[in-house]
Amino acid sequence: MTNRITACRFGVIMLRIFWWTTLAATIGLILSLVTMLAYGWPAAWGEAWPVWAAALAGVMLIESIIFWIGIITVYVTSVQLGLKIRVIGILCGWIPIANLIALNLIIRTVGEEVRFETAKERLDRSRAGARICATRYPVLLVHGVFFRDTQALNYWGRVPAELQRNGATIYYGEHQSAASVPDAARELTARIRRIVEMTGCGKVNVIAHSKGGLDMRYAIARCGAAPYVASLTTVNTPHRGCGFADYLLTNIPAGAQSKVAATYNAAASRLGDAHPDFMAAVHDLTQAGCARLNAEIGDWDQLNGLWQRGSAGSALGTTAGSVSGRTTGGAPIVTAGGVPGGTASGVSAQHTSDAPAEPSPIAVNEHLSQASGPWAVPSDAVSQSRQSYTRAGMTATPASPASPVPRTSPFAGIVCQSVGSKLAHATTGKFPLNFTYPLVKWFDGPNDGLVAQPSFPWGERFTWLEPNGVRGISHADMIDLNRENIPGFDVREFYVQIVAALKQRGL
């Protein structure tokens, strides 16, 4: 158990001791006061009040010490409390009854955090020897637009550390926060070449979020990165652009756009960007911009055909009937994390004793290639994958045999796949995605707060993460930006299983 979780556990124990001992002491003091006043037992009030007052003062002193030790400990060490619950605790702390409700919320939140993180640690220890993420090629994490790779605040949250605990070697794109796709692609190509030359690894497995997916596709197709890339996984990437972005650029006055761009570029330059270009980055995220980029990249026909056939042919999540290891059409069933496994459609995963069990499982709909290839299922993988699958806390819905997925990779010799997710309601997202979600939904339909469902699919396989409950998974949740433990979706384990699948395929 880490020092932080050990401290959290201690803080919760102290607060629980405070809760119950304060309750017991309060009841005892009230009963003794009533009996002395009413019956003169165990002594008359006039004789016993100094003792009673001293007992009251002692209880208040001891309980105050216990409370402040506990509350300071959890406020300092807990991640899941967040700003909102901390503020609630401070504001309600001086209001009778409300302070008890707030304290109960704090205890439950931190207690669940301790339980979840302890289960994750047990899981990691149980498979430490297997090093399931020790891939042949290192993993390169590529960030999206308007962020930088910094040591102070990791764009990928707790994901890199979890991958490293399971054997992965991690590198970062280290490109500018805002640049056109071609410019970012050239930066990433140079970065990949440096990694290959420095380590002698030969290639890298790339996981790219948001605009980073567009940058990497362009780098592979137009900038010479292809020989150095073994796989590309795009996460919530707007491959077909964002209609909402087109609307904003059309309706916001040019003068206002220029002021925002100048302000951002100046700030980005001070933070280390060599040549930030806010407007170039935004224009490349529009539907018109992505159509142009897709034509330059050369896989537009596959992108267009994939979604058109998907919309007209079979709905996301349709099934091929009872399955065990493979669909009736021969396609592998892949879990939420990318490890093949067998289950019937709509069957909720069962949690193992050492897994972080959560309510409201997430439905995972897979569009899978029917052809054999780099994603074929090893015959000995099913039992292991089933175990990993249950730990993900998901419900899997395999695609039908007619699922509209290209039979070959968009880039020869490179394993290509994509992931997308959606929020269920605006209120379940963090600011500003809770604000943008209904706007994007109005223009583009189901979305993650920024990018809509039709824009996500690309490559040999597309994984769609959809909530069964009310929470949903936002654009930021997919990179653990808020470090939040989401009920039903363990984002860290999701990436572990993506990388584990790459290792299984010799990448």
Side-chain angles (χ1 to χ4, degrees), residues 129-401:
R131 291 174 54 81
I132 63 173
C133 293
T135 50
R136 177 182 178 185
Y137 305 112
V139 174
L140 178 70
L141 299 177
V142 176
H143 67 69
V145 71
F146 306 140
F147 282 88
R148 290 178 53 84
D149 291 314
T150 65
Q151 294 182 350
L153 180 64
N154 197 309
Y155 178 84
W156 297 87
R158 300 164 294 177
V159 171
E162 183 71 10
L163 293 176
Q164 289 170 329
R165 274 193 292 270
N166 285 279
T169 300
I170 303 294
Y171 293 96
Y172 298 94
E174 297 183 355
H175 52 305
Q176 294 186 88
S177 65
S180 68
V181 166
D183 286 347
R186 284 187 282 271
E187 286 187 71
L188 287 167
T189 300
R191 170 65 173 158
I192 292 171
R193 283 176 171 160
R194 286 196 301 271
I195 292 172
V196 170
E197 292 172 359
M198 177 179 63
T199 65
C201 60
K203 296 184 178 183
V204 293
N205 291 304
V206 182
I207 300 177
H209 178 249
S210 193
K211 178 179 173 287
L214 299 177
D215 299 335
M216 277 307 308
R217 283 175 54 214
Y218 200 96
I220 292 169
R222 301 297 297 266
C223 299
Y228 312 107
V229 177
S231 68
L232 173 58
T233 303
T234 66
V235 180
N236 290 46
T237 291
H239 293 291
R240 295 160 189 81
C242 305
F244 179 52
D246 292 79
Y247 174 83
L248 291 178
L249 289 177
T250 301
N251 290 275
I252 294 177
Q257 294 182 34
S258 298
K259 289 181 180 178
V260 171
T263 301
Y264 181 89
N265 291 340
S269 294
R270 287 193 292 270
L271 292 174
D273 279 6
H275 305 287
D277 193 334
F278 178 91
M279 291 308 300
V282 172
H283 277 285
D284 280 352
L285 293 173
T286 64
Q287 290 179 340
C290 283
R292 171 181 51 80
L293 291 168
N294 289 331
E296 293 178 20
I297 291 170
D299 59 358
W300 171 245
D301 289 340
Q302 287 188 344
L303 278 164
N304 194 40
L306 169 61
W307 186 251
Q308 286 183 348
R309 291 195 302 275
S311 299
S314 61
L316 285 173
T318 57
T319 67
S322 179
V323 292
S324 179
R326 290 180 179 271
T327 64
T328 54
I333 298 170
V334 183
T335 71
V339 178
T343 183
S345 171
V347 178
S348 296
Q350 300 299 314
H351 299 284
T352 57
S353 61
D354 62 349
E358 295 286 353
S360 304
I362 304 296
V364 181
N365 302 303
E366 300 282 357
H367 278 204
L368 305 173
S369 172
Q370 303 301 310
S372 61
W375 289 104
V377 183
S379 59
D380 61 347
V382 175
S383 61
Q384 178 183 356
S385 66
R386 210 177 254 138
Q387 182 184 32
S388 299
Y389 176 76
T390 59
R391 284 171 174 162
M394 304 275 179
T395 299
T397 304
S400 80

Side-chain angles (χ1 to χ4, degrees), residues 84-154:
K84 178 181 177 181
I85 297 179
R86 284 179 167 87
V87 171
I88 289 174
I90 293 171
L91 295 180
C92 295
W94 312 103
I95 305 174
I97 307 301
N99 55 9
L100 298 178
I101 296 173
L103 179 59
N104 184 56
L105 175 62
I106 291 170
I107 291 173
R108 284 192 294 107
T109 300
V110 182
E112 175 59 21
E113 179 180 0
V114 170
R115 187 204 63 79
F116 187 89
E117 297 301 334
T118 301
K120 282 197 68 63
E121 186 174 343
R122 285 200 301 267
L123 173 60
D124 285 340
R125 281 203 309 267
S126 70
R127 63 190 179 191
R131 291 174 54 81
I132 63 173
C133 293
T135 50
R136 177 182 178 185
Y137 305 112
V139 174
L140 178 70
L141 299 177
V142 176
H143 67 69
V145 71
F146 306 140
F147 282 88
R148 290 178 53 84
D149 291 314
T150 65
Q151 294 182 350
L153 180 64
N154 197 309

